[in-house]
Amino acid sequence: MSLIEIQNFIGGEFRPAHSRKVLENTDPSTGLVYSTLPRSDAADIDVAVESARKAFPVWSKTSPEERSRFLHAIADGIDRQQATLAAAESRDQGKPLWLTESLDIPRASTNFRLFANQILFTPVESNEFSNKAINLVLRKPIGVAGLISPWNLPLYLLSWKIAPAIAAGNTVVCKPSEITPFTASLLCSIIKEAGLPPGVVNMVYGLGAEAGEALVKHPQVPLISFTGGTATGQRLNAVAAPLLKKVSLELGGKNANLIFADADFEEAVKTTLRSSFLNQGEICLCGSRIFVEKSIYPRFLARFIEETKKLKVGDPTLKDHFLGALASAAHLQKVKSYVELAEQDGGRIETGKEEIKLDPKHQGGYFMRPTIITGLPPQSRVMQEEIFGPVVTVTPFESEEEALALANDVPYGLSASLWTQDIKRVHRIGQDLQVGTLWVNSWMIRDLRAPFGGMKKSGIGREGGLHSLEFFTEATNLCIKY
Ligand code: NAD
């Protein structure tokens, strides 16, 4: 079978890396290579940035209405290609097809529609000063934005950056994850069909240390929006700092679920199952540390294990499989190494070691059963470091103070879920929990206007609605004397 050849998209044209080098791309559910992507380097980034720079003067002066029409046209294209994109995303990342159909691809089109609408109705900030002058805040596009995205929600997160960046009048050079380039390449065809002027969106594939870092270093790229791991974010911030770039960092998490005895038990079990294992636990918002009030701990643990054992793992195209494959062989190995570490540290593997029955086609895939660990000390590496797979710990707590201290006692601060019926407790914990998002009696309800981002090592900045548009623009205060 011939391999699909993914190409860079620069100045509206598809082309290989100038070096002609390629990387291989694997289907995680079979372990077989099915496509290649350009192994681009600084020379390709230079050409892409030049193309984006050329497009900027005209694009940045188009009216919001015109830009809005283009964004809607791209969203229409995504909707028309929904089935193709959903199949491609599932194949490239290993996640279940039902999930790409219901979450990843619809969200990608919603991302474009949200900003297509938002730029038409964004209020202009103004302040009157002491009967003397009026201040008008002009928000201006900045130039070429560098957009770097991860592999866990490939099109969902890439479009979450492209849409606000171009809606605000910037042009972009994107560097999607080398592990999941497929839907980014299909998006380029949709963008071309939508008639977006050449150079407004450029896509360059390759390794982070080569293509990604060249983009961050490029002197003509004044802003970088990055989503990925914390170590990469730290590196990228160090590279960008001397160049005084505007940087947004959406990084890792080690999120807590706090389940109090007064919670709706059934709802807490059901949602915790999803927040633990949806997308194989490969969502930055997954709750991987589950803390349960002591009085309900035995009952919760028993039900949680029972329900987890029922989750089916395997062929991502089958509807009854809740988990597909992990994204890569290296990632599967990393996740499994944490389970071994948990055992060495005295943890008990409550479930996760059972064999997975796979059909012959999927024998070489990167599958793993959802795994529950108990009995670990909160300071153990498994409870402190981001694993980013279907592995959770369950730990009892005695008081609200203890629950709060346990939840905050990690280097991360992305999100948490709180399960309680006590509204005063909701306010207390809401004030003191160090997270960017706290879901109360829920998980992953995403209003795209809400500020989204992390505290501590989970990132710098906020994305979402006006927060994204603010990042992708620079303010000029026009002070006019009467
Ligand atoms: P990663 O950091 O390995 O890679 C992310 C992107 O950065 C890739 O495109 C990669 O090629 C690029 N990159 C790597 N090194 C680079 C460098 N030196 N300079 C420039 N670019 C470089 O992350 P990943 O493994 O793809 O994704 C998983 C991580 O992403 C997890 O930690 C997860 O929590 C995080 N994540 C965070 C959010 C959020 O919104 N906070 C969302 C999704 C994923």
Side-chain angles (χ1 to χ4, degrees):
M1 202 181 69
S2 65
L3 300 180
I4 297 167
E5 287 178 33
I6 292 169
Q7 307 263 288
N8 286 336
F9 181 67
I10 299 176
E13 299 300 329
F14 292 95
R15 51 172 105 169
H18 84 288
S19 67
R20 304 264 160 182
K21 286 186 188 164
V22 295
L23 297 164
E24 290 185 333
N25 185 32
T26 304
D27 174 343
S29 77
T30 62
L32 300 176
V33 172
Y34 77 99
S35 69
T36 63
L37 57 145
R39 181 171 174 172
S40 311
D41 59 25
D44 301 291
I45 292 288
D46 282 348
V47 180
V49 172
E50 194 43 37
S51 145
R53 259 167 55 81
K54 272 201 196 134
F56 180 74
V58 174
W59 180 251
S60 59
K61 294 291 179 203
T62 52
S63 68
E65 288 75 10
E66 205 171 336
R67 275 177 273 142
S68 175
R69 275 195 293 277
F70 279 116
L71 267 80
H72 276 301
I74 296 169
D76 291 343
I78 294 173
D79 291 346
R80 275 196 302 272
Q81 297 283 326
Q82 164 117 11
T84 308
L85 288 164
E89 198 73 298
S90 169
R91 184 178 191 189
D92 211 21
Q93 205 262 351
K95 64 176 72 189
L97 181 61
W98 61 260
L99 187 60
T100 59
E101 285 170 347
S102 60
L103 178 73
D104 294 73
I105 308 308
R107 168 68 191 268
S109 119
T110 304
N111 287 340
F112 281 100
R113 292 206 197 281
L114 172 83
F115 291 104
N117 293 331
Q118 190 127 34
I119 49 168
L120 299 182
F121 305 108
T122 304
V124 175
E125 187 186 331
S126 67
N127 302 292
E128 204 166 10
F129 178 69
S130 192
N131 292 341
K132 272 198 202 104
I134 189 149
N135 292 287
L136 277 183
V137 183
L138 308 181
R139 297 220 69 105
K140 304 170 178 173
I142 302 174
V144 180
L147 312 180
I148 303 177
S149 56
W151 50 254
N152 65 319
L153 295 161
L155 190 64
Y156 171 129
L157 287 174
L158 180 62
S159 54
W160 184 230
K161 296 186 184 303
I162 296 175
I166 64 172
N170 303 283
T171 56
V172 302
V173 176
C174 313
K175 210 302 279 171
S177 170
E178 57 274 32
I179 295 171
T180 51
F182 198 10
T183 48
S185 72
L186 299 177
L187 177 68
C188 294
S189 301
I190 290 170
I191 283 173
K192 195 168 171 149
E193 266 172 44
L196 196 74
V200 174
V201 172
N202 303 275
M203 199 73 68
V204 181
Y205 306 89
L207 299 173
E210 296 174 0
E213 198 148 322
L215 181 58
V216 178
K217 281 184 181 153
H218 201 290
Q220 304 294 347
V221 177
L223 73 167
I224 299 286
S225 174
F226 171 80
T227 300
T230 294
T232 315
Q234 286 167 323
R235 163 82 194 153
L236 193 148
N237 212 18
V239 171
L243 303 164
L244 293 177
K245 299 197 177 200
K246 198 171 182 189
V247 174
S248 156
L249 301 174
E250 298 288 346
L251 309 178
K254 188 74 182 173
N255 312 311
N257 289 8
L258 301 179
I259 304 172
F260 284 84
D262 66 351
D264 178 332
F265 185 83
E266 291 305 321
E267 196 56 41
V269 171
K270 199 172 87 189
T271 306
T272 303
L273 212 60
R274 274 169 48 79
S275 70
S276 299
F277 303 124
L278 190 71
N279 204 42
Q280 302 75 240
E282 296 167 328
I283 302 182
C284 56
L285 303 167
C286 278
S288 55
R289 295 178 303 142
I290 302 164
F291 297 107
V292 187
E293 194 162 5
K294 206 170 174 184
S295 59
I296 60 160
Y297 178 78
R299 182 170 158 235
F300 178 87
L301 184 62
R303 266 300 296 288
F304 188 54
I305 293 170
E306 185 190 330
E307 294 302 321
T308 300
K309 281 183 172 168
K310 288 185 200 160
L311 297 177
K312 289 193 178 166
V313 183
D315 183 350
T317 61
L318 297 186
K319 276 216 160 35
D320 62 339
H321 285 167
F322 191 76
L323 290 89
L326 271 68
S328 68
H331 188 57
L332 175 68
Q333 207 176 2
K334 178 191 144 186
V335 175
K336 285 193 161 171
S337 76
Y338 274 101
V339 180
E340 281 167 27
L341 186 62
E343 286 185 296
Q344 286 161 22
D345 286 350
R348 186 180 144 90
I349 314 302
E350 302 283 354
T351 180
K353 291 191 139 180
E354 303 82 357
E355 205 194 321
I356 308 169
K357 290 197 186 74
L358 293 164
D359 59 291
K361 183 181 169 194
H362 296 99
Q363 295 290 340
Y366 314 136
F367 296 95
M368 171 173 182
R369 281 211 57 81
T371 302
I372 301 174
I373 305 168
T374 56
L376 281 177
Q379 284 308 315
S380 63
R381 281 183 52 205
V382 171
M383 287 194 66
Q384 288 288 316
E385 298 175 12
E386 185 185 47
I387 300 174
F388 212 53
V391 177
V392 297
T393 58
V394 190
T395 312
F397 68 81
E398 302 217 23
S399 65
E400 186 179 310
E401 293 69 35
E402 190 194 359
L404 191 62
L406 284 166
N408 278 336
D409 191 18
V410 282
Y412 297 99
L414 191 56
S415 71
S417 279
L418 169 61
W419 291 89
T420 182
Q421 304 290 340
D422 180 345
I423 188 68
K424 288 188 179 168
R425 175 180 283 146
V426 171
H427 283 289
R428 284 193 299 271
I429 291 190
Q431 288 293 339
D432 292 340
L433 206 58
Q434 295 156 358
V435 291
T437 301
L438 174 57
W439 279 290
V440 180
N441 298 322
S442 60
W443 178 66
M444 222 168 116
I445 297 176
R446 288 283 290 116
D447 181 332
L448 300 184
R449 296 162 300 180
F452 177 88
M455 294 170 74
K456 303 197 284 189
K457 286 192 175 172
S458 289
I460 299 176
R462 293 292 180 269
E463 292 182 334
L466 293 175
H467 307 276
S468 293
L469 291 178
E470 200 172 300
F471 175 75
F472 284 111
T473 53
E474 202 73 271
T476 294
N477 185 55
L478 206 60
C479 179
I480 310 162
K481 190 169 177 286
Y482 300 156

